[in-house]
Amino acid sequence: FQNILEVISAKEDELGKLDAVAGDGDHGIGMVRGLKAAHKTVQDANTMSPSQLISDAGASFSDAAGGSSGALVGILMITTGNKLQDDNMDTAHVAQALELGLTRMCKLGKSGPGQKTMIDTLDPFITSLKTFANKSLSDGWQAALPAAEDGMNATATMTSQKGRAAKLGERSKGHKDPGAVSMIYMLETVGEELKSA
Ligand code: ADP
Ligand code: MG
């Protein structure tokens, strides 16, 4: 679990390529910058506590990434890390921590599902994860990924209502939201890491 961010860092290039799809094109660059800082924080950390590492990494991510997604993904990680308890990492508790993170994210972004953002990946993922509370965290996480992927794909048919892409209005249709795509990569990567944890 401690290595989640190292694995995410390996996705940097891939996230960078998502950049050109919509908005002002800085999403990939910002994510890479944020993930590098998060990765460094985890490497330099004096703690082995996963919850502490996640929130510390979130703070670094937020500072370094900048932009809307920096603040939004940052608050998700910080809130989730703060809520998590290292001795209670079962599926139900992790889903609960993520749900609080999502709530804070929505509050900060004044946003919700259906507005063509990363929330459209994250929200169905968490809803699905909660239904797999009887599974191990790793198995539950895998089981919830298809819901996240469906949500991410659905952003292609949505009209942007938040962030810079909202200015495109109807023209934003037909492209997936970059934040929704980077969110699925992060969730998938965490899933891979959980398998080997
Ligand atoms: P910026 O818009 O500041 O350039 P990025 O390009 O890094 O930020 O991130 C854009 C992504 O952030 C969008 O694709 C969307 O998923 C997400 N996003 C932007 N605004 C919001 C918001 N208010 N709520 C949720 N997600 C948002
Ligand atoms: Mg941008």
PDB file of all heavy atoms in Angstrom, residues 19 22-31 65-70 72-73 105-106 108-112 115-120 160-165 176-182, ligand 1:
ATOM      1  N   ASP A  19      -3.224  14.959 -22.164  1.00  0.00           N
ATOM      2  CA  ASP A  19      -3.286  16.402 -22.000  1.00  0.00           C
ATOM      3  C   ASP A  19      -4.021  17.156 -23.093  1.00  0.00           C
ATOM      4  O   ASP A  19      -4.765  18.089 -22.823  1.00  0.00           O
ATOM      5  CB  ASP A  19      -1.856  16.918 -21.897  1.00  0.00           C
ATOM      6  CG  ASP A  19      -1.798  18.292 -21.313  1.00  0.00           C
ATOM      7  OD1 ASP A  19      -2.782  18.682 -20.677  1.00  0.00           O
ATOM      8  OD2 ASP A  19      -0.788  18.957 -21.513  1.00  0.00           O
ATOM      9  N   ALA A  22      -8.711  18.369 -24.103  1.00  0.00           N
ATOM     10  CA  ALA A  22      -9.665  19.471 -23.886  1.00  0.00           C
ATOM     11  C   ALA A  22      -9.077  20.511 -22.949  1.00  0.00           C
ATOM     12  O   ALA A  22      -7.933  20.414 -22.532  1.00  0.00           O
ATOM     13  CB  ALA A  22     -10.978  18.931 -23.294  1.00  0.00           C
ATOM     14  N   GLY A  23      -9.855  21.493 -22.601  1.00  0.00           N
ATOM     15  CA  GLY A  23      -9.404  22.511 -21.659  1.00  0.00           C
ATOM     16  C   GLY A  23      -8.222  23.280 -22.203  1.00  0.00           C
ATOM     17  O   GLY A  23      -8.125  23.530 -23.397  1.00  0.00           O
ATOM     18  N   ASP A  24      -7.280  23.665 -21.311  1.00  0.00           N
ATOM     19  CA  ASP A  24      -6.129  24.423 -21.772  1.00  0.00           C
ATOM     20  C   ASP A  24      -4.912  23.533 -21.972  1.00  0.00           C
ATOM     21  O   ASP A  24      -3.805  24.024 -22.187  1.00  0.00           O
ATOM     22  CB  ASP A  24      -5.812  25.564 -20.794  1.00  0.00           C
ATOM     23  CG  ASP A  24      -5.561  25.036 -19.392  1.00  0.00           C
ATOM     24  OD1 ASP A  24      -5.692  23.818 -19.198  1.00  0.00           O
ATOM     25  OD2 ASP A  24      -5.229  25.839 -18.511  1.00  0.00           O
ATOM     26  N   GLY A  25      -5.139  22.215 -21.866  1.00  0.00           N
ATOM     27  CA  GLY A  25      -4.074  21.273 -22.206  1.00  0.00           C
ATOM     28  C   GLY A  25      -2.989  21.100 -21.163  1.00  0.00           C
ATOM     29  O   GLY A  25      -1.970  20.477 -21.439  1.00  0.00           O
ATOM     30  N   ASP A  26      -3.214  21.619 -19.970  1.00  0.00           N
ATOM     31  CA  ASP A  26      -2.159  21.499 -18.963  1.00  0.00           C
ATOM     32  C   ASP A  26      -2.432  20.382 -17.963  1.00  0.00           C
ATOM     33  O   ASP A  26      -1.673  20.205 -17.018  1.00  0.00           O
ATOM     34  CB  ASP A  26      -1.983  22.825 -18.206  1.00  0.00           C
ATOM     35  CG  ASP A  26      -3.211  23.171 -17.360  1.00  0.00           C
ATOM     36  OD1 ASP A  26      -4.256  22.517 -17.554  1.00  0.00           O
ATOM     37  OD2 ASP A  26      -3.110  24.089 -16.540  1.00  0.00           O
ATOM     38  N   HIS A  27      -3.502  19.651 -18.169  1.00  0.00           N
ATOM     39  CA  HIS A  27      -3.883  18.647 -17.164  1.00  0.00           C
ATOM     40  C   HIS A  27      -2.812  17.565 -17.001  1.00  0.00           C
ATOM     41  O   HIS A  27      -2.446  17.206 -15.890  1.00  0.00           O
ATOM     42  CB  HIS A  27      -5.221  18.013 -17.515  1.00  0.00           C
ATOM     43  CG  HIS A  27      -5.663  16.997 -16.510  1.00  0.00           C
ATOM     44  ND1 HIS A  27      -5.915  17.319 -15.197  1.00  0.00           N
ATOM     45  CD2 HIS A  27      -5.866  15.663 -16.606  1.00  0.00           C
ATOM     46  CE1 HIS A  27      -6.256  16.226 -14.545  1.00  0.00           C
ATOM     47  NE2 HIS A  27      -6.227  15.211 -15.364  1.00  0.00           N
ATOM     48  N   GLY A  28      -2.303  17.071 -18.120  1.00  0.00           N
ATOM     49  CA  GLY A  28      -1.265  16.035 -18.052  1.00  0.00           C
ATOM     50  C   GLY A  28      -0.024  16.549 -17.356  1.00  0.00           C
ATOM     51  O   GLY A  28       0.519  15.899 -16.460  1.00  0.00           O
ATOM     52  N   ILE A  29       0.387  17.747 -17.759  1.00  0.00           N
ATOM     53  CA  ILE A  29       1.593  18.338 -17.177  1.00  0.00           C
ATOM     54  C   ILE A  29       1.420  18.522 -15.674  1.00  0.00           C
ATOM     55  O   ILE A  29       2.306  18.185 -14.886  1.00  0.00           O
ATOM     56  CB  ILE A  29       1.896  19.710 -17.840  1.00  0.00           C
ATOM     57  CG1 ILE A  29       2.208  19.520 -19.331  1.00  0.00           C
ATOM     58  CG2 ILE A  29       3.043  20.420 -17.132  1.00  0.00           C
ATOM     59  CD1 ILE A  29       2.206  20.825 -20.127  1.00  0.00           C
ATOM     60  N   GLY A  30       0.256  19.046 -15.284  1.00  0.00           N
ATOM     61  CA  GLY A  30      -0.009  19.273 -13.868  1.00  0.00           C
ATOM     62  C   GLY A  30      -0.018  17.982 -13.075  1.00  0.00           C
ATOM     63  O   GLY A  30       0.549  17.908 -11.978  1.00  0.00           O
ATOM     64  N   MET A  31      -0.662  16.963 -13.630  1.00  0.00           N
ATOM     65  CA  MET A  31      -0.731  15.675 -12.944  1.00  0.00           C
ATOM     66  C   MET A  31       0.663  15.093 -12.756  1.00  0.00           C
ATOM     67  O   MET A  31       0.989  14.560 -11.697  1.00  0.00           O
ATOM     68  CB  MET A  31      -1.600  14.684 -13.743  1.00  0.00           C
ATOM     69  CG  MET A  31      -3.077  15.024 -13.794  1.00  0.00           C
ATOM     70  SD  MET A  31      -3.887  15.042 -12.189  1.00  0.00           S
ATOM     71  CE  MET A  31      -3.880  13.302 -11.769  1.00  0.00           C
ATOM     72  N   ALA A  65       1.029  20.387  -8.312  1.00  0.00           N
ATOM     73  CA  ALA A  65       0.250  20.209  -9.543  1.00  0.00           C
ATOM     74  C   ALA A  65      -0.377  21.522  -9.999  1.00  0.00           C
ATOM     75  O   ALA A  65      -0.406  21.833 -11.180  1.00  0.00           O
ATOM     76  CB  ALA A  65      -0.836  19.155  -9.334  1.00  0.00           C
ATOM     77  N   GLY A  66      -0.867  22.299  -9.048  1.00  0.00           N
ATOM     78  CA  GLY A  66      -1.553  23.539  -9.402  1.00  0.00           C
ATOM     79  C   GLY A  66      -2.841  23.264 -10.164  1.00  0.00           C
ATOM     80  O   GLY A  66      -3.232  22.113 -10.349  1.00  0.00           O
ATOM     81  N   GLY A  67      -3.502  24.312 -10.592  1.00  0.00           N
ATOM     82  CA  GLY A  67      -4.731  24.160 -11.381  1.00  0.00           C
ATOM     83  C   GLY A  67      -5.876  23.590 -10.570  1.00  0.00           C
ATOM     84  O   GLY A  67      -5.741  23.303  -9.384  1.00  0.00           O
ATOM     85  N   SER A  68      -7.024  23.442 -11.243  1.00  0.00           N
ATOM     86  CA  SER A  68      -8.200  22.898 -10.562  1.00  0.00           C
ATOM     87  C   SER A  68      -7.935  21.481 -10.107  1.00  0.00           C
ATOM     88  O   SER A  68      -8.230  21.116  -8.983  1.00  0.00           O
ATOM     89  CB  SER A  68      -9.402  22.872 -11.498  1.00  0.00           C
ATOM     90  OG  SER A  68      -9.441  24.013 -12.296  1.00  0.00           O
ATOM     91  N   SER A  69      -7.369  20.675 -10.997  1.00  0.00           N
ATOM     92  CA  SER A  69      -7.211  19.265 -10.654  1.00  0.00           C
ATOM     93  C   SER A  69      -6.217  19.091  -9.515  1.00  0.00           C
ATOM     94  O   SER A  69      -6.369  18.169  -8.710  1.00  0.00           O
ATOM     95  CB  SER A  69      -6.803  18.439 -11.871  1.00  0.00           C
ATOM     96  OG  SER A  69      -5.602  18.909 -12.415  1.00  0.00           O
ATOM     97  N   GLY A  70      -5.223  19.967  -9.415  1.00  0.00           N
ATOM     98  CA  GLY A  70      -4.271  19.886  -8.304  1.00  0.00           C
ATOM     99  C   GLY A  70      -4.984  20.035  -6.975  1.00  0.00           C
ATOM    100  O   GLY A  70      -4.825  19.218  -6.065  1.00  0.00           O
ATOM    101  N   LEU A  72      -8.197  19.721  -6.429  1.00  0.00           N
ATOM    102  CA  LEU A  72      -9.277  18.747  -6.247  1.00  0.00           C
ATOM    103  C   LEU A  72      -8.745  17.367  -5.885  1.00  0.00           C
ATOM    104  O   LEU A  72      -9.223  16.738  -4.937  1.00  0.00           O
ATOM    105  CB  LEU A  72     -10.139  18.681  -7.516  1.00  0.00           C
ATOM    106  CG  LEU A  72     -10.949  19.965  -7.796  1.00  0.00           C
ATOM    107  CD1 LEU A  72     -11.405  20.019  -9.242  1.00  0.00           C
ATOM    108  CD2 LEU A  72     -12.134  20.065  -6.847  1.00  0.00           C
ATOM    109  N   VAL A  73      -7.750  16.893  -6.624  1.00  0.00           N
ATOM    110  CA  VAL A  73      -7.159  15.588  -6.304  1.00  0.00           C
ATOM    111  C   VAL A  73      -6.422  15.684  -4.967  1.00  0.00           C
ATOM    112  O   VAL A  73      -6.442  14.748  -4.159  1.00  0.00           O
ATOM    113  CB  VAL A  73      -6.210  15.102  -7.428  1.00  0.00           C
ATOM    114  CG1 VAL A  73      -5.505  13.812  -7.028  1.00  0.00           C
ATOM    115  CG2 VAL A  73      -6.975  14.897  -8.727  1.00  0.00           C
ATOM    116  N   MET A 105     -14.245  17.167  -2.089  1.00  0.00           N
ATOM    117  CA  MET A 105     -13.892  17.554  -3.455  1.00  0.00           C
ATOM    118  C   MET A 105     -15.063  18.273  -4.121  1.00  0.00           C
ATOM    119  O   MET A 105     -14.900  19.333  -4.738  1.00  0.00           O
ATOM    120  CB  MET A 105     -13.516  16.296  -4.264  1.00  0.00           C
ATOM    121  CG  MET A 105     -13.066  16.562  -5.678  1.00  0.00           C
ATOM    122  SD  MET A 105     -13.041  15.048  -6.666  1.00  0.00           S
ATOM    123  CE  MET A 105     -11.304  14.776  -6.804  1.00  0.00           C
ATOM    124  N   CYS A 106     -16.243  17.718  -3.967  1.00  0.00           N
ATOM    125  CA  CYS A 106     -17.448  18.323  -4.562  1.00  0.00           C
ATOM    126  C   CYS A 106     -17.716  19.700  -3.963  1.00  0.00           C
ATOM    127  O   CYS A 106     -18.138  20.626  -4.663  1.00  0.00           O
ATOM    128  CB  CYS A 106     -18.669  17.432  -4.351  1.00  0.00           C
ATOM    129  SG  CYS A 106     -18.634  15.900  -5.294  1.00  0.00           S
ATOM    130  N   LEU A 108     -15.458  21.748  -2.612  1.00  0.00           N
ATOM    131  CA  LEU A 108     -14.432  22.672  -3.100  1.00  0.00           C
ATOM    132  C   LEU A 108     -14.717  23.082  -4.543  1.00  0.00           C
ATOM    133  O   LEU A 108     -14.571  24.248  -4.918  1.00  0.00           O
ATOM    134  CB  LEU A 108     -13.041  22.021  -3.007  1.00  0.00           C
ATOM    135  CG  LEU A 108     -11.868  22.851  -3.511  1.00  0.00           C
ATOM    136  CD1 LEU A 108     -11.623  24.045  -2.590  1.00  0.00           C
ATOM    137  CD2 LEU A 108     -10.602  22.005  -3.591  1.00  0.00           C
ATOM    138  N   GLY A 109     -15.102  22.111  -5.359  1.00  0.00           N
ATOM    139  CA  GLY A 109     -15.314  22.379  -6.786  1.00  0.00           C
ATOM    140  C   GLY A 109     -16.718  22.877  -7.101  1.00  0.00           C
ATOM    141  O   GLY A 109     -17.025  23.149  -8.258  1.00  0.00           O
ATOM    142  N   LYS A 110     -17.561  22.981  -6.064  1.00  0.00           N
ATOM    143  CA  LYS A 110     -18.973  23.319  -6.267  1.00  0.00           C
ATOM    144  C   LYS A 110     -19.546  22.460  -7.394  1.00  0.00           C
ATOM    145  O   LYS A 110     -20.191  22.952  -8.316  1.00  0.00           O
ATOM    146  CB  LYS A 110     -19.147  24.798  -6.591  1.00  0.00           C
ATOM    147  CG  LYS A 110     -18.683  25.729  -5.475  1.00  0.00           C
ATOM    148  CD  LYS A 110     -19.025  27.178  -5.797  1.00  0.00           C
ATOM    149  CE  LYS A 110     -18.616  28.132  -4.686  1.00  0.00           C
ATOM    150  NZ  LYS A 110     -17.152  28.128  -4.417  1.00  0.00           N
ATOM    151  N   SER A 111     -19.248  21.187  -7.342  1.00  0.00           N
ATOM    152  CA  SER A 111     -19.584  20.295  -8.453  1.00  0.00           C
ATOM    153  C   SER A 111     -20.171  18.990  -7.951  1.00  0.00           C
ATOM    154  O   SER A 111     -20.157  18.716  -6.755  1.00  0.00           O
ATOM    155  CB  SER A 111     -18.330  20.038  -9.282  1.00  0.00           C
ATOM    156  OG  SER A 111     -17.218  19.772  -8.431  1.00  0.00           O
ATOM    157  N   GLY A 112     -20.677  18.223  -8.895  1.00  0.00           N
ATOM    158  CA  GLY A 112     -21.271  16.932  -8.574  1.00  0.00           C
ATOM    159  C   GLY A 112     -21.259  16.044  -9.805  1.00  0.00           C
ATOM    160  O   GLY A 112     -20.751  16.454 -10.856  1.00  0.00           O
ATOM    161  N   GLN A 115     -21.381  16.334 -14.547  1.00  0.00           N
ATOM    162  CA  GLN A 115     -20.904  17.616 -15.083  1.00  0.00           C
ATOM    163  C   GLN A 115     -19.629  17.469 -15.909  1.00  0.00           C
ATOM    164  O   GLN A 115     -18.955  18.452 -16.209  1.00  0.00           O
ATOM    165  CB  GLN A 115     -20.685  18.608 -13.925  1.00  0.00           C
ATOM    166  CG  GLN A 115     -21.993  18.926 -13.197  1.00  0.00           C
ATOM    167  CD  GLN A 115     -21.808  19.888 -12.036  1.00  0.00           C
ATOM    168  OE1 GLN A 115     -20.839  19.807 -11.290  1.00  0.00           O
ATOM    169  NE2 GLN A 115     -22.739  20.808 -11.894  1.00  0.00           N
ATOM    170  N   LYS A 116     -19.332  16.209 -16.259  1.00  0.00           N
ATOM    171  CA  LYS A 116     -18.170  15.906 -17.102  1.00  0.00           C
ATOM    172  C   LYS A 116     -16.859  16.270 -16.415  1.00  0.00           C
ATOM    173  O   LYS A 116     -16.089  17.115 -16.882  1.00  0.00           O
ATOM    174  CB  LYS A 116     -18.276  16.633 -18.458  1.00  0.00           C
ATOM    175  CG  LYS A 116     -17.329  16.087 -19.547  1.00  0.00           C
ATOM    176  CD  LYS A 116     -17.537  16.849 -20.849  1.00  0.00           C
ATOM    177  CE  LYS A 116     -16.589  16.397 -21.939  1.00  0.00           C
ATOM    178  NZ  LYS A 116     -17.179  15.426 -22.859  1.00  0.00           N
ATOM    179  N   THR A 117     -16.639  15.632 -15.265  1.00  0.00           N
ATOM    180  CA  THR A 117     -15.377  15.839 -14.543  1.00  0.00           C
ATOM    181  C   THR A 117     -14.883  14.495 -14.010  1.00  0.00           C
ATOM    182  O   THR A 117     -15.524  13.460 -14.199  1.00  0.00           O
ATOM    183  CB  THR A 117     -15.550  16.770 -13.324  1.00  0.00           C
ATOM    184  OG1 THR A 117     -16.327  16.088 -12.333  1.00  0.00           O
ATOM    185  CG2 THR A 117     -16.220  18.085 -13.700  1.00  0.00           C
ATOM    186  N   MET A 118     -13.769  14.560 -13.293  1.00  0.00           N
ATOM    187  CA  MET A 118     -13.205  13.382 -12.636  1.00  0.00           C
ATOM    188  C   MET A 118     -14.192  12.755 -11.653  1.00  0.00           C
ATOM    189  O   MET A 118     -14.102  11.572 -11.342  1.00  0.00           O
ATOM    190  CB  MET A 118     -11.910  13.752 -11.909  1.00  0.00           C
ATOM    191  CG  MET A 118     -12.041  14.904 -10.936  1.00  0.00           C
ATOM    192  SD  MET A 118     -10.480  15.297 -10.106  1.00  0.00           S
ATOM    193  CE  MET A 118      -9.602  16.188 -11.381  1.00  0.00           C
ATOM    194  N   ILE A 119     -15.154  13.549 -11.191  1.00  0.00           N
ATOM    195  CA  ILE A 119     -16.171  13.031 -10.267  1.00  0.00           C
ATOM    196  C   ILE A 119     -16.990  11.929 -10.933  1.00  0.00           C
ATOM    197  O   ILE A 119     -17.445  10.998 -10.271  1.00  0.00           O
ATOM    198  CB  ILE A 119     -17.088  14.181  -9.780  1.00  0.00           C
ATOM    199  CG1 ILE A 119     -16.272  15.143  -8.912  1.00  0.00           C
ATOM    200  CG2 ILE A 119     -18.321  13.671  -9.031  1.00  0.00           C
ATOM    201  CD1 ILE A 119     -16.968  16.463  -8.622  1.00  0.00           C
ATOM    202  N   ASP A 120     -17.154  11.999 -12.235  1.00  0.00           N
ATOM    203  CA  ASP A 120     -17.944  10.985 -12.943  1.00  0.00           C
ATOM    204  C   ASP A 120     -17.233   9.636 -13.005  1.00  0.00           C
ATOM    205  O   ASP A 120     -17.866   8.616 -13.289  1.00  0.00           O
ATOM    206  CB  ASP A 120     -18.302  11.488 -14.349  1.00  0.00           C
ATOM    207  CG  ASP A 120     -19.235  12.688 -14.255  1.00  0.00           C
ATOM    208  OD1 ASP A 120     -20.248  12.581 -13.531  1.00  0.00           O
ATOM    209  OD2 ASP A 120     -18.934  13.738 -14.863  1.00  0.00           O
ATOM    210  N   SER A 160     -19.489  19.684 -20.853  1.00  0.00           N
ATOM    211  CA  SER A 160     -18.704  20.213 -19.729  1.00  0.00           C
ATOM    212  C   SER A 160     -19.447  21.327 -19.014  1.00  0.00           C
ATOM    213  O   SER A 160     -19.922  22.264 -19.648  1.00  0.00           O
ATOM    214  CB  SER A 160     -17.366  20.765 -20.215  1.00  0.00           C
ATOM    215  OG  SER A 160     -16.486  19.722 -20.486  1.00  0.00           O
ATOM    216  N   GLN A 161     -19.530  21.212 -17.699  1.00  0.00           N
ATOM    217  CA  GLN A 161     -20.179  22.270 -16.922  1.00  0.00           C
ATOM    218  C   GLN A 161     -19.261  22.871 -15.875  1.00  0.00           C
ATOM    219  O   GLN A 161     -19.616  23.817 -15.187  1.00  0.00           O
ATOM    220  CB  GLN A 161     -21.426  21.701 -16.235  1.00  0.00           C
ATOM    221  CG  GLN A 161     -22.524  21.342 -17.237  1.00  0.00           C
ATOM    222  CD  GLN A 161     -23.665  20.608 -16.573  1.00  0.00           C
ATOM    223  OE1 GLN A 161     -24.095  20.978 -15.488  1.00  0.00           O
ATOM    224  NE2 GLN A 161     -24.151  19.555 -17.217  1.00  0.00           N
ATOM    225  N   LYS A 162     -18.057  22.286 -15.742  1.00  0.00           N
ATOM    226  CA  LYS A 162     -17.114  22.767 -14.725  1.00  0.00           C
ATOM    227  C   LYS A 162     -15.730  22.921 -15.351  1.00  0.00           C
ATOM    228  O   LYS A 162     -15.382  22.234 -16.291  1.00  0.00           O
ATOM    229  CB  LYS A 162     -17.038  21.782 -13.554  1.00  0.00           C
ATOM    230  CG  LYS A 162     -18.283  21.764 -12.704  1.00  0.00           C
ATOM    231  CD  LYS A 162     -18.371  22.984 -11.815  1.00  0.00           C
ATOM    232  CE  LYS A 162     -19.802  23.215 -11.353  1.00  0.00           C
ATOM    233  NZ  LYS A 162     -19.952  24.471 -10.630  1.00  0.00           N
ATOM    234  N   GLY A 163     -14.962  23.822 -14.773  1.00  0.00           N
ATOM    235  CA  GLY A 163     -13.590  24.008 -15.249  1.00  0.00           C
ATOM    236  C   GLY A 163     -13.540  24.724 -16.575  1.00  0.00           C
ATOM    237  O   GLY A 163     -14.554  25.197 -17.096  1.00  0.00           O
ATOM    238  N   ARG A 164     -12.331  24.810 -17.127  1.00  0.00           N
ATOM    239  CA  ARG A 164     -12.134  25.557 -18.361  1.00  0.00           C
ATOM    240  C   ARG A 164     -12.896  24.987 -19.549  1.00  0.00           C
ATOM    241  O   ARG A 164     -13.343  25.728 -20.427  1.00  0.00           O
ATOM    242  CB  ARG A 164     -10.647  25.557 -18.734  1.00  0.00           C
ATOM    243  CG  ARG A 164      -9.826  26.491 -17.909  1.00  0.00           C
ATOM    244  CD  ARG A 164      -8.368  26.337 -18.283  1.00  0.00           C
ATOM    245  NE  ARG A 164      -7.521  26.428 -17.108  1.00  0.00           N
ATOM    246  CZ  ARG A 164      -7.050  27.572 -16.629  1.00  0.00           C
ATOM    247  NH1 ARG A 164      -7.317  28.706 -17.228  1.00  0.00           N
ATOM    248  NH2 ARG A 164      -6.299  27.583 -15.564  1.00  0.00           N
ATOM    249  N   ALA A 165     -13.020  23.652 -19.585  1.00  0.00           N
ATOM    250  CA  ALA A 165     -13.676  23.001 -20.713  1.00  0.00           C
ATOM    251  C   ALA A 165     -15.145  23.417 -20.823  1.00  0.00           C
ATOM    252  O   ALA A 165     -15.757  23.267 -21.879  1.00  0.00           O
ATOM    253  CB  ALA A 165     -13.560  21.480 -20.595  1.00  0.00           C
ATOM    254  N   LYS A 176     -13.779  12.471 -24.123  1.00  0.00           N
ATOM    255  CA  LYS A 176     -13.803  12.157 -22.689  1.00  0.00           C
ATOM    256  C   LYS A 176     -13.156  13.282 -21.906  1.00  0.00           C
ATOM    257  O   LYS A 176     -12.255  13.951 -22.403  1.00  0.00           O
ATOM    258  CB  LYS A 176     -13.026  10.860 -22.440  1.00  0.00           C
ATOM    259  CG  LYS A 176     -13.728   9.631 -22.955  1.00  0.00           C
ATOM    260  CD  LYS A 176     -12.835   8.410 -22.792  1.00  0.00           C
ATOM    261  CE  LYS A 176     -13.368   7.265 -23.619  1.00  0.00           C
ATOM    262  NZ  LYS A 176     -12.349   6.224 -23.846  1.00  0.00           N
ATOM    263  N   ASP A 177     -13.617  13.457 -20.687  1.00  0.00           N
ATOM    264  CA  ASP A 177     -13.010  14.477 -19.827  1.00  0.00           C
ATOM    265  C   ASP A 177     -11.620  14.002 -19.379  1.00  0.00           C
ATOM    266  O   ASP A 177     -11.475  12.880 -18.878  1.00  0.00           O
ATOM    267  CB  ASP A 177     -13.896  14.714 -18.606  1.00  0.00           C
ATOM    268  CG  ASP A 177     -13.234  15.653 -17.623  1.00  0.00           C
ATOM    269  OD1 ASP A 177     -13.083  16.835 -17.975  1.00  0.00           O
ATOM    270  OD2 ASP A 177     -12.846  15.201 -16.529  1.00  0.00           O
ATOM    271  N   PRO A 178     -10.601  14.839 -19.547  1.00  0.00           N
ATOM    272  CA  PRO A 178      -9.243  14.418 -19.184  1.00  0.00           C
ATOM    273  C   PRO A 178      -9.094  14.052 -17.701  1.00  0.00           C
ATOM    274  O   PRO A 178      -8.405  13.083 -17.362  1.00  0.00           O
ATOM    275  CB  PRO A 178      -8.363  15.629 -19.519  1.00  0.00           C
ATOM    276  CG  PRO A 178      -9.286  16.754 -19.808  1.00  0.00           C
ATOM    277  CD  PRO A 178     -10.617  16.170 -20.169  1.00  0.00           C
ATOM    278  N   GLY A 179      -9.771  14.803 -16.839  1.00  0.00           N
ATOM    279  CA  GLY A 179      -9.701  14.485 -15.408  1.00  0.00           C
ATOM    280  C   GLY A 179     -10.342  13.140 -15.097  1.00  0.00           C
ATOM    281  O   GLY A 179      -9.871  12.399 -14.234  1.00  0.00           O
ATOM    282  N   ALA A 180     -11.410  12.806 -15.825  1.00  0.00           N
ATOM    283  CA  ALA A 180     -12.066  11.508 -15.632  1.00  0.00           C
ATOM    284  C   ALA A 180     -11.151  10.380 -16.095  1.00  0.00           C
ATOM    285  O   ALA A 180     -11.125   9.296 -15.496  1.00  0.00           O
ATOM    286  CB  ALA A 180     -13.393  11.460 -16.402  1.00  0.00           C
ATOM    287  N   VAL A 181     -10.379  10.641 -17.154  1.00  0.00           N
ATOM    288  CA  VAL A 181      -9.460   9.622 -17.678  1.00  0.00           C
ATOM    289  C   VAL A 181      -8.266   9.439 -16.743  1.00  0.00           C
ATOM    290  O   VAL A 181      -7.868   8.311 -16.430  1.00  0.00           O
ATOM    291  CB  VAL A 181      -9.001   9.975 -19.108  1.00  0.00           C
ATOM    292  CG1 VAL A 181      -8.022   8.942 -19.632  1.00  0.00           C
ATOM    293  CG2 VAL A 181     -10.205  10.069 -20.048  1.00  0.00           C
ATOM    294  N   SER A 182      -7.695  10.545 -16.263  1.00  0.00           N
ATOM    295  CA  SER A 182      -6.552  10.377 -15.349  1.00  0.00           C
ATOM    296  C   SER A 182      -7.000   9.711 -14.048  1.00  0.00           C
ATOM    297  O   SER A 182      -6.251   8.940 -13.451  1.00  0.00           O
ATOM    298  CB  SER A 182      -5.835  11.703 -15.083  1.00  0.00           C
ATOM    299  OG  SER A 182      -6.682  12.642 -14.493  1.00  0.00           O
TER     300      SER A 182
HETATM  301  P1  ADP B   1      -7.390  23.629 -15.022  1.00  0.00           P
HETATM  302  O1  ADP B   1      -8.831  23.612 -15.428  1.00  0.00           O
HETATM  303  O2  ADP B   1      -7.138  24.537 -13.860  1.00  0.00           O
HETATM  304  O3  ADP B   1      -6.449  23.844 -16.177  1.00  0.00           O
HETATM  305  P2  ADP B   1      -6.614  20.842 -15.117  1.00  0.00           P
HETATM  306  O4  ADP B   1      -6.486  21.012 -16.587  1.00  0.00           O
HETATM  307  O5  ADP B   1      -5.447  20.308 -14.382  1.00  0.00           O
HETATM  308  O6  ADP B   1      -7.099  22.178 -14.412  1.00  0.00           O
HETATM  309  O7  ADP B   1      -7.809  19.840 -14.795  1.00  0.00           O
HETATM  310  C1  ADP B   1      -8.968  19.832 -15.536  1.00  0.00           C
HETATM  311  C2  ADP B   1      -9.848  18.715 -14.974  1.00  0.00           C
HETATM  312  O8  ADP B   1     -10.235  19.039 -13.654  1.00  0.00           O
HETATM  313  C3  ADP B   1     -11.128  18.546 -15.746  1.00  0.00           C
HETATM  314  O9  ADP B   1     -10.939  17.616 -16.802  1.00  0.00           O
HETATM  315  C4  ADP B   1     -12.106  18.034 -14.697  1.00  0.00           C
HETATM  316  O10 ADP B   1     -12.100  16.621 -14.610  1.00  0.00           O
HETATM  317  C5  ADP B   1     -11.547  18.571 -13.409  1.00  0.00           C
HETATM  318  N1  ADP B   1     -12.302  19.698 -12.902  1.00  0.00           N
HETATM  319  C6  ADP B   1     -12.186  21.005 -13.222  1.00  0.00           C
HETATM  320  N2  ADP B   1     -13.039  21.759 -12.504  1.00  0.00           N
HETATM  321  C7  ADP B   1     -13.694  20.902 -11.679  1.00  0.00           C
HETATM  322  C8  ADP B   1     -14.701  21.059 -10.660  1.00  0.00           C
HETATM  323  N3  ADP B   1     -15.197  22.234 -10.334  1.00  0.00           N
HETATM  324  N4  ADP B   1     -15.109  19.927 -10.023  1.00  0.00           N
HETATM  325  C9  ADP B   1     -14.597  18.728 -10.337  1.00  0.00           C
HETATM  326  N5  ADP B   1     -13.666  18.527 -11.264  1.00  0.00           N
HETATM  327  C10 ADP B   1     -13.228  19.589 -11.934  1.00  0.00           C
END
